[in-house]
Amino acid sequence: MRVLSGIQPSGALHLGNYYGAMKQHIELQHGHECFFFIANYHTLTTVQDAARLRQLTSDVALDYLAMGLDPAKAALFRQSDIPEVTELAWILATVTGKGLLDRAVSYKDKVERGIAASMGLYFYPVLMAADILIYRSNLVPVGKDQVQHIEMTQDMAGYFNNTFGREVLVRPEPKLNEAAVVPGLDGQKMSKSYGNSIEIFLDARTAEKKIKSIKTDSTPVDAPKDPGACNAFALLRLMATPEETAEWERRYRAGGMGYGEVKKRLVELYEAFFGQRRERRAQLAARPDEVEDILRDGARRARLVAEQVMHDVREACGIVTVR
Ligand code: AMP
Ligand code: TRP
């Protein structure tokens, strides 16, 4: 079973990114063959500043390594280090009807949000299908917003296989990230664009300030409280053990406990977990050559598969090259 996912390098990660996506990526490395890549070609649809894209690309590598991605287990690499991906994207485009892309919801959403309606943005799902199909990936862990893209990938695999009469490409399945929606400081979905995020690599003091600013209601200390309606509790249950979560739940319902106490505990839990990883990230950041070696080794492993699949693809459709 091969697991693959792409991560757009889009800046400082927050608790929503970690509990919504990254945590499950890192867990999947135990027991599966995992390929995780940094989707820098996709990010070129929104970030068109060379220095910034380079920075974002190395940041996300540091983030994954600091949070426990083990390069001996999972291959971590840059999308752009596998040239077969863009080659396959073109070939897929030739068997895919334009109508399929016209139905892409994410394209429409992005254009509505003011992102330039470039050909690249329109073509985005084809490149994503190539990312997945080039490694004959079986399982693709993603958030809900990406499921349509995986379904389009399934369609494109079918179009190719049917057109050329060979089962060359493997149909992938999406795997939904388990954490539903992680709320932000104001109780809305945590999102960079809402300005309500708690990033995962904050220094201890900034983290404490942010956590203390989590919005809670004005139920008096003595009164019983509903844990299900509390943003601080929603974050606590992600970070605490099930036993500790159950104990806090009891205390909420019993009354006599103020939200300040929960926030104080959140600060401790944040620091105990992310503080250590922040240190590890700083150490890695001071050794860029080591990180580069990890990315190159990941690319080497991924490319072994990509070259084989691309060979089969060219063979099936009659494209002759000297490679
Ligand atoms: P984004 O950079 O917003 O596209 O998010 C990257 C990944 O993090 C996606 O897989 C999202 O599903 C996940 N994610 C982002 N924000 C949240 C959130 N507030 N709750 C749960 N998952 C999230
Ligand atoms: N589009 C994905 C996102 O925005 C990132 C991505 C690119 C991806 N290629 C992929 C995810 C292939 C899974 C598989 O989150």
Side-chain angles (χ1 to χ4, degrees):
M1 176 83 92
R2 183 172 290 139
V3 174
L4 164 127
S5 199
I7 304 115
Q8 282 216 58
S10 55
L13 295 176
H14 54 65
L15 296 176
N17 298 132
Y18 177 68
Y19 289 105
M22 189 182 206
K23 179 167 183 260
Q24 104 153 337
H25 290 163
I26 291 170
E27 281 166 5
L28 282 165
Q29 70 184 343
H30 307 289
H32 297 282
E33 184 189 6
C34 286
F35 284 180
F36 296 119
F37 68 89
I38 305 166
N40 52 354
Y41 277 134
H42 278 110
T43 300
L44 207 46
T45 60
T46 49
V47 177
Q48 296 179 329
D49 171 333
R52 181 155 159 74
L53 185 57
R54 266 193 287 271
Q55 182 67 46
L56 289 170
T57 303
S58 58
D59 279 351
V60 72
L62 288 174
D63 293 341
Y64 265 76
L65 293 168
M67 290 310 293
L69 183 127
D70 177 356
K73 292 204 167 94
L76 178 67
F77 56 98
R78 285 175 291 247
Q79 182 180 34
S80 54
D81 280 331
I82 316 295
E84 287 78 9
V85 168
T86 45
E87 187 181 351
L88 178 60
W90 174 256
I91 294 178
L92 290 174
T94 65
V95 295
T96 301
K98 179 173 167 292
L100 186 80
L101 295 179
D102 288 338
R103 289 191 288 278
V105 173
S106 145
Y107 173 81
K108 289 176 208 154
D109 284 353
K110 287 182 178 173
V111 173
E112 258 167 45
R113 279 193 280 131
I115 296 175
S118 64
M119 283 306 295
L121 194 68
Y122 190 73
F123 194 76
Y124 186 114
V126 183
L127 182 60
M128 180 158 164
D131 286 328
I132 297 170
L133 299 173
I134 197 76
Y135 309 111
R136 296 200 166 113
S137 315
N138 306 107
L139 210 60
V140 187
V142 284
K144 244 196 358 241
D145 59 323
Q146 296 298 316
V147 170
Q148 190 193 27
H149 289 152
I150 314 288
E151 289 165 358
M152 293 166 99
T153 303
Q154 296 172 336
D155 290 344
M156 287 185 231
Y159 300 151
F160 183 90
N161 292 345
N162 289 337
T163 302
F164 297 105
R166 290 193 207 176
E167 289 300 303
V168 176
L169 300 176
V170 170
R171 186 185 158 90
E173 293 299 331
K175 181 179 189 315
L176 275 181
N177 294 331
E178 90 241 34
V181 176
V182 178
L185 299 173
D186 57 358
Q188 281 199 80
K189 176 184 168 163
M190 188 178 289
S191 165
K192 212 171 14 195
S193 49
Y194 300 158
N196 64 356
S197 307
I198 303 176
E199 290 77 18
I200 63 175
F201 292 116
L202 295 175
D203 64 80
R205 198 184 287 159
T206 313
E208 179 170 4
K209 255 181 52 206
K210 282 218 171 182
I211 290 169
K212 297 221 159 132
S213 75
I214 294 172
K215 209 163 123 196
T216 43
D217 63 27
S218 51
T219 316
V221 172
D222 289 343
K225 298 176 183 61
D226 177 7
C230 176
N231 302 327
F233 184 83
L235 296 178
L236 182 108
R237 75 177 321 148
L238 294 169
M239 293 196 223
T241 60
E243 295 72 32
E244 183 177 348
T245 304
E247 174 58 17
W248 282 101
E249 199 167 347
R250 193 194 59 73
R251 294 190 59 199
Y252 265 76
R253 296 195 195 286
M257 178 215 73
Y259 292 122
E261 282 186 63
V262 190
K263 291 184 182 175
K264 185 160 163 269
R265 181 62 186 143
L266 265 180
V267 171
E268 288 169 7
L269 288 166
Y270 178 98
E271 191 51 27
F273 188 69
F274 294 107
Q276 212 184 57
R277 287 159 178 83
R278 176 176 68 229
E279 302 298 316
R280 202 187 304 164
R281 191 183 189 286
Q283 287 162 9
L284 277 166
R287 302 197 301 265
D289 294 351
E290 209 170 294
V291 176
E292 183 59 29
D293 284 348
I294 290 171
L295 293 176
R296 286 185 186 197
D297 182 60
R300 187 189 53 75
R301 283 146 66 191
R303 206 157 175 213
L304 286 177
V305 181
E307 279 173 342
Q308 179 60 53
V309 175
M310 205 53 225
H311 171 271
D312 297 350
V313 165
R314 290 191 203 107
E315 182 97 350
C317 60
I319 287 292
V320 182
T321 70
V322 292
R323 273 164 285 190

